[in-house]
Amino acid sequence: MTAASATSDTLRVTPIENARDMRAFIDLPKRLYRGHAGYVPHLDMERRDTFSARKNPYFQHAEVRFWLARRGERVVGRISAQVDRAHLDRYHDATGFFGCLDAEDDPAVYAALLAAAETWLRDSGMQRSRGPLSLSINEEVGLQIGGFDSRSMLLIPYHPPYAQARVEAQGYAKAKDVISYDYDVQNAPLTIGRKLIERGGFAGRVKVRTADMKRFDAEVRTLLDIFNDAWADNWGYVPFTEAEIAVAAKTLKPVVIRDLAIFVDVDGETVAFIVALANLNEAVRDLGGRLLPFGWAKLAWRLLVDKPRSARVPLMGVRKKFRNHPLLGAGLAMMAIDALRENGKRIGMKTAELGWILEDNKATNNIIRSSGGKVYKTHRIYEKALS
């Protein structure tokens, strides 16, 4: 091998320093996964906002670093690392995170990327590396280890089959698996939710309603307030901040389907919800992440006129004081799912993804399975001690 060819093959991992690097960071998955059945590129503008300290309120309580791996001038991998003060304040476990891990099928590239993230986390005082979280537990979670050819879904990460072995070869072990369910809106069975409500003595006290879009910001706050209460005991949970709630309300409004944003009231108090978002990935499948010059028109048409026939349910919950009732907790959740099914059939929705759900959340997994949900994707969260 000549000196010139050796130099061109040299693997380098360097931090992102400018807008050009960030463009390369955003563009890499498009080249790596083009043509993969389960992959649709994010919109570039959405990724820029997610990775922007100015626009993503996650950065208000977290330190984040990004790296690119290159062989010569060719970008072959990327990774991020995060130290989340909100997580540390809650758990006091000296755990940092990695995310945005995408690379060519090359063990050396994975080793170099993870080493860069681990070194920075260790230098930041962390004793454990966990991930991938891109960037937080409330955004894109886990490394895909099953369901690679299933449809691409909004805010669910895609990884190729080789990634699992590459990460595990670097000493990472399973911390948790999270499960996503395919829900056949047109053919799912009616649940026993109403019967449980009646058996629990709450007949006539429970009302199911859809979101009031004229009060959208207030409805989002109610939803996330219930979520923060319902999921507070979940492994890894970090509550949404006020700033994150405000950004979520603005970001999600174009893809919230009013008829599939369901609230359940008991004696006039909103205590449970389920919300489905139009699967944006279905609408942007052929845009290559770009809205210019004609992508805006295509996206508007597909969301407002043609309309996606798939949706994702990223959030559902029942307030703690009702969730632990032997009949009412499951009954409220099932009634919300029934309303989602009935309204979805009426508006022509064909399928929904319910998830993700922690593998050991037996109550929620049982409710979804009994409602007709079928496991079709699995993502894994890994951990490694930083000794």
Side-chain angles (χ1 to χ4, degrees):
M1 181 181 294
T2 67
S5 63
T7 300
S8 67
D9 288 340
T10 300
L11 178 63
R12 297 175 294 117
V13 176
T14 55
I16 283 182
E17 296 179 344
N18 50 47
R20 181 180 179 184
D21 286 345
M22 180 54 74
R23 283 196 298 272
F25 190 91
I26 291 171
D27 284 344
L28 177 64
K30 301 177 196 176
R31 174 167 58 81
L32 292 178
Y33 308 143
R34 184 180 295 116
H36 290 213
Y39 173 72
V40 169
H42 293 83
L43 289 175
D44 292 351
M45 62 178 296
E46 182 272 329
R47 289 291 85 184
R48 286 194 295 270
D49 288 354
T50 295
F51 301 146
S52 167
R54 184 169 60 87
K55 294 188 176 182
N56 186 349
Y58 172 73
F59 287 77
Q60 295 176 10
H61 55 83
E63 297 293 327
V64 183
R65 296 292 184 274
F66 303 96
W67 292 268
L68 287 171
R70 291 183 173 91
R71 285 195 182 278
E73 296 303 311
R74 178 183 175 85
V75 176
V76 295
R78 69 175 197 174
I79 198 169
S80 68
Q82 303 91 244
V83 174
D84 184 354
R85 293 185 300 277
H87 172 93
L88 296 174
D89 289 346
R90 187 174 184 85
Y91 295 101
H92 307 284
D93 60 357
T95 295
F97 304 94
F98 72 91
C100 304
L101 178 58
D102 297 284
E104 294 182 355
D105 188 8
D106 183 337
V109 176
Y110 276 88
L113 287 167
L114 287 164
E118 290 164 14
T119 297
W120 181 78
L121 290 173
R122 190 182 296 110
D123 290 346
S124 299
M126 299 298 100
Q127 299 173 14
R128 182 185 297 107
S129 173
R130 179 183 295 167
L133 302 183
S134 306
L135 296 169
S136 80
I137 195 75
N138 294 321
E139 296 179 65
E140 295 192 358
V141 174
L143 186 86
Q144 188 167 6
I145 62 169
F148 301 103
D149 294 335
S150 55
R151 67 183 177 277
S152 178
M153 186 59 63
L154 173 72
L155 295 176
I156 292 290
Y158 171 84
H159 299 96
Y162 61 76
Q164 179 179 0
R166 299 297 176 229
V167 171
E168 291 175 0
Q170 299 309 309
Y172 281 85
K174 170 185 169 180
K176 293 282 184 182
D177 282 352
V178 297
I179 300 168
S180 297
Y181 291 85
D182 186 32
Y183 181 72
D184 185 342
V185 175
Q186 294 295 317
N187 299 298
L190 186 68
T191 75
I192 60 171
R194 189 167 295 280
K195 292 181 180 178
L196 293 177
I197 295 296
E198 292 171 353
R199 197 179 306 163
F202 282 81
R205 298 169 58 185
V206 176
K207 178 183 177 182
V208 180
R209 64 179 180 86
T210 57
D212 181 353
M213 299 303 284
K214 294 179 180 179
R215 300 177 54 255
F216 182 77
D217 288 355
E219 295 281 54
V220 169
R221 288 183 174 276
T222 297
L223 181 153
L224 292 178
D225 181 62
I226 297 173
F227 177 83
N228 280 339
D229 175 69
W231 295 92
D233 298 330
N234 257 27
W235 178 88
Y237 162 84
V238 175
F240 287 92
T241 66
E242 284 294 317
E244 287 168 333
I245 290 172
V247 168
K250 179 181 179 181
T251 303
L252 296 179
K253 189 171 185 178
V255 291
V256 168
I257 305 169
R258 184 186 68 84
D259 291 319
L260 303 185
I262 311 296
F263 292 93
V264 185
D265 299 344
V266 175
D267 297 332
E269 177 188 3
T270 302
V271 300
F273 75 91
I274 188 169
V275 61
L277 306 177
N279 183 17
L280 186 65
N281 289 15
E282 185 181 330
V284 303
R285 61 194 178 276
D286 59 349
L287 301 185
R290 295 180 172 85
L291 291 177
L292 297 174
F294 304 114
W296 280 110
K298 289 182 179 179
L299 179 57
W301 173 267
R302 290 168 180 173
L303 285 178
L304 299 175
V305 181
D306 192 31
K307 296 184 179 179
R309 293 295 181 259
S310 62
R312 180 181 172 223
V313 176
L315 300 172
M316 62 181 294
V318 178
R319 286 197 185 275
K320 281 183 187 178
K321 64 180 181 180
F322 292 97
R323 188 183 66 208
N324 296 327
H325 188 283
L327 298 174
L328 190 58
L332 292 170
M334 288 180 177
M335 286 188 69
I337 292 173
D338 281 341
L340 180 86
R341 178 185 61 85
E342 293 167 9
N343 290 355
K345 288 177 69 173
R346 177 172 49 80
I347 66 174
M349 188 63 61
K350 295 189 177 301
T351 187
E353 178 175 307
L354 278 62
W356 49 266
I357 309 296
L358 286 168
E359 61 179 334
D360 51 4
N361 185 338
K362 293 181 180 179
T364 302
N365 283 303
N366 288 340
I367 288 170
I368 292 175
R369 286 170 176 161
S370 68
S371 302
K374 308 293 184 185
V375 175
Y376 89 131
K377 283 182 191 172
T378 304
H379 288 72
R380 179 161 294 172
I381 303 170
Y382 287 93
E383 283 186 349
K384 178 181 178 180
L386 299 178
S387 58

